[in-house]
Structure formats: structure tokens, C-alpha cells
């Protein structure tokens, strides 16, 4: 039996200065790094998930309802899709990318990224991404939108194996004999919740460290209650 930490979507676009910023996201990146530095010995495996959108259809909207549709964010190959630079990747073994051609909230919808593709940011903490999706959500700058479109096109079908060669998060965890999972990241009431609930459904023992998550809603009690009702331990 082994134990894994799943770091969910700590990406530039979900942190301050990004296209779909969640308050506290940038600070959380540093806090997760400190936690991993102090506790990585308690985990046999540490993985991270990323939103990685190429053409997710109605998931993107110029008039989003912030329930089923959202501003453009985390476009594949742009800085907005990279991990926040305050999230130290030293102990992260694998990355799972989700949402290429459809909405995807759970990390269990993600596919394994190539080993040599290390998705880290190179901007200063808190600084605005200089190109790509990190700017398109708020500025409406057509040049930035074109950059994001071009980047997404360049990555389409090229960075993740399809079909029988694709390795999903559940497959990877099972191949490493993982039974216990701890989940942290962004956002408590969306991708963290979806990942945790899917993990329970897949048969894992699941804990969410609430203090190492940030959410979109002002009141996260409903999200926490839903996770607990679904069999997740929220600490």
C-alpha cells in the first residue's frame, strides 16, 4: 500500500494576475510548497493536475455564467496554463492534464504529460503573465487571444498520447499501488471537490486538507459538506 498527494490546478490563471484568479491562489502555491518540503517523506508519490484547454467548446464563453461556462483560461502551451512559480516542482513525479476538448474538473479526467515536459512558470510571483491565456480573460486584447489560439493549435494532439497509449490518473495510481490519497489545491468547490469525490468512487481512501485549498465561493461549507457526504475526510 502506498500514499499519494495530488496537487490540483495550482496554475497561473487561477492565481492573482491570471484570467480566472481565485483569491489566495498565489499564497497557496507557496504554502503547498512549504508543506511538501516538510512532509514529502510521508508520501510515496506526489503528482499535480493542470487544466490544459485546446478547444473545450462551451466551457469557454465571452458571456460566462461561472457555473458551466468560464472566461478563457489555462490554454495549452500558454503561461496561464503553467504551474505558479511559487509551487516548487522538485518532488512532483507526474503531471496530469485535463480538459483539452471538453470541460473537465476532476483530475481523474486527466492524462499523463510527457516526462520531459516540466510545466513551471518563469515569471515573478504575483506578476501578470506576459502573453497567452493569462491576459485574455480580463483585457479582451485580441493579440493575446491570437497568441493563445496559436499556442493551443501547436499543442493539439502533440503533448499527450491518445487512445490506447493514454495513461489516466487512476491507471497511474493503481500501477503504483496507491490506496490513500491526500488532495490540496484550487479550487475547493470545483476541481478539488471533483477530484476528491472521483477518488472515493474509484476506491481510494481520500483526505482533503482544507487549509491547503482555496475556493471561489464566499461560503465553502456546502462544498465541504458534499465532499464529506461523499466519503471524503476534510481536515
Amino acid at each position: 500500500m502506498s500514499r499519494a498527494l495530488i496537487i490540483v490546478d495550482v496554475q497561473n490563471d487561477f492565481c492573482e494576475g491570471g484570467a480566472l484568479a481565485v483569491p489566495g491562489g498565489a499564497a497557496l502555491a507557496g504554502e503547498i510548497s512549504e508543506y511538501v518540503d516538510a512532509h514529502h517523506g510521508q508520501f510515496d508519490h506526489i503528482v499535480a493536475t493542470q487544466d490544459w484547454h485546446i478547444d473545450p467548446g462551451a466551457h469557454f464563453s465571452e458571456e460566462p455564467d461561472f457555473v458551466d461556462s468560464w472566461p478563457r483560461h489555462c490554454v495549452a502551451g500558454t503561461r496561464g496554463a503553467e504551474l505558479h512559480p511559487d509551487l516548487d516542482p522538485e518532488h512532483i513525479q507526474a503531471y496530469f492534464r485535463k480538459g483539452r476538448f471538453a470541460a473537465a474538473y476532476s483530475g481523474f479526467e486527466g492524462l499523463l504529460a510527457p516526462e520531459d515536459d516540466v510545466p513551471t512558470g518563469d515569471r515573478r510571483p504575483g506578476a501578470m503573465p506576459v502573453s497567452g491565456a493569462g491576459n485574455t480573460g480580463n483585457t479582451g486584447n485580441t493579440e493575446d487571444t491570437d497568441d493563445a489560439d496559436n499556442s493551443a493549435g501547436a499543442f493539439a494532439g502533440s503533448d499527450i498520447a491518445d487512445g490506447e497509449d493514454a495513461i489516466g490518473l487512476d491507471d497511474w495510481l493503481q500501477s503504483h499501488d496507491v490506496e490513500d490519497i491526500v488532495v490540496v489545491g484550487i479550487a475547493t468547490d470545483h476541481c478539488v471537490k471533483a477530484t476528491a469525490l472521483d477518488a472515493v468512487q474509484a476506491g481510494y481512501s481520500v483526505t482533503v486538507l482544507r487549509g491547503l485549498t482555496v475556493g471561489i465561493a464566499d461560503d465553502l461549507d456546502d462544498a465541504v459538506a458534499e465532499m464529506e457526504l461523499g466519503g471524503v475526510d476534510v481536515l
Side-chain angles (χ1 to χ4, degrees), residues 1-3 45 172-180 204:
M1 181 182 77
S2 61
R3 188 170 187 242
H45 308 286
W172 192 94
L173 293 171
Q174 288 190 40
S175 71
H176 289 79
D177 298 319
V178 172
E179 294 187 10
D180 292 333
Y204 300 96

Side-chain angles (χ1 to χ4, degrees), residues 50-234:
Q50 292 172 279
D51 257 14
W52 195 256
H53 297 306
I54 294 172
D55 182 10
H59 186 60
F60 283 174
S61 175
E62 294 182 1
E63 298 180 355
D65 61 16
F66 295 93
V67 177
D68 297 311
S69 60
W70 306 86
R72 291 174 61 85
H73 61 277
C74 298
V75 173
T78 66
R79 293 193 180 188
E82 294 173 354
L83 299 184
H84 189 278
D86 283 356
L87 181 65
D88 186 348
E90 178 182 358
H91 298 289
I92 299 175
Q93 293 173 256
Y95 302 87
F96 293 86
R97 293 170 171 170
K98 56 189 173 66
R100 290 189 299 162
F101 300 108
Y105 296 91
S106 169
F108 282 82
E109 298 175 83
L111 298 177
L112 181 66
E115 291 183 5
D116 60 351
D117 188 0
V118 179
T120 58
D122 59 1
R123 64 185 176 88
R124 299 188 313 278
M128 189 67 159
V130 299
S131 66
N135 288 335
T136 60
N138 296 325
T139 67
N141 187 307
T142 56
E143 182 178 351
D144 291 335
T145 302
D146 290 341
D147 288 344
D149 289 339
N150 292 337
S151 295
F155 274 80
S158 65
D159 67 322
I160 300 174
D162 287 310
E164 294 181 356
D165 294 328
I167 300 175
L169 177 57
D170 188 33
D171 294 331
W172 192 94
L173 293 171
Q174 288 190 40
S175 71
H176 289 79
D177 298 319
V178 172
E179 294 187 10
D180 292 333
I181 288 174
V182 176
V183 183
V184 300
I186 303 172
T188 315
D189 43 342
H190 289 277
C191 295
V192 168
K193 180 181 73 173
T195 300
L197 290 174
D198 275 0
V200 171
Q201 289 297 312
Y204 300 96
S205 175
V206 184
T207 301
V208 168
L209 301 182
R210 185 174 181 180
L212 289 178
T213 70
V214 291
I216 294 174
D218 293 331
D219 186 350
L220 297 171
D221 288 347
D222 286 347
V224 170
E226 185 177 348
M227 285 190 282
E228 291 178 333
L229 185 63
V232 178
D233 290 328
V234 182

